[in-house]
Amino acid sequence: RLTMVDEKSPVEEQAEAVTEETIAIFGATGRTGRETVKLALSQGYKVRALVRNPEKLADIIKPDEDDSLCTIQGSLTDITK
């Protein structure tokens, strides 16, 4: 007779641990950056995205709706900001 045990597999535990992490994405409004942001959010990561124009990410997620995406306006080539 089998009994169900409410235990998580190692894979499930690892997946939960991953979703608690925050990652930074530079150039988040570019072609690759946008897709990376979408993928990271769909997998449960919190994302900090460096962008020159935060409005370009508005179609991915509204800042007021979710705190999973934090946009930081700036440029890697401008050291004064």
Side-chain angles (χ1 to χ4, degrees):
R1 179 177 172 184
L2 294 173
T3 56
M4 295 297 289
V5 179
D6 191 21
E7 291 184 19
K8 295 178 183 168
S9 73
V11 172
E12 290 172 319
E13 288 178 8
Q14 184 179 14
E16 283 183 6
V18 167
T19 59
E20 296 173 4
E21 294 182 18
T22 301
I23 61 172
I25 299 174
F26 300 94
T29 57
R31 174 187 255 172
T32 303
R34 291 177 64 76
E35 293 306 313
T36 305
V37 169
K38 289 179 190 178
L39 181 63
L41 292 172
S42 73
Q43 292 184 0
Y45 286 95
K46 290 189 178 225
V47 174
R48 292 187 184 260
L50 180 67
V51 297
R52 286 179 284 194
N53 183 355
E55 293 173 3
K56 289 186 175 182
L57 285 180
D59 63 318
I60 294 177
I61 192 168
K62 304 278 188 265
D64 297 339
E65 292 178 6
D66 193 347
D67 65 350
S68 295
L69 175 61
C70 172
T71 57
I72 302 163
Q73 188 169 4
S75 173
L76 286 176
T77 60
D78 186 358
I79 60 172
T80 63
K81 291 184 180 182

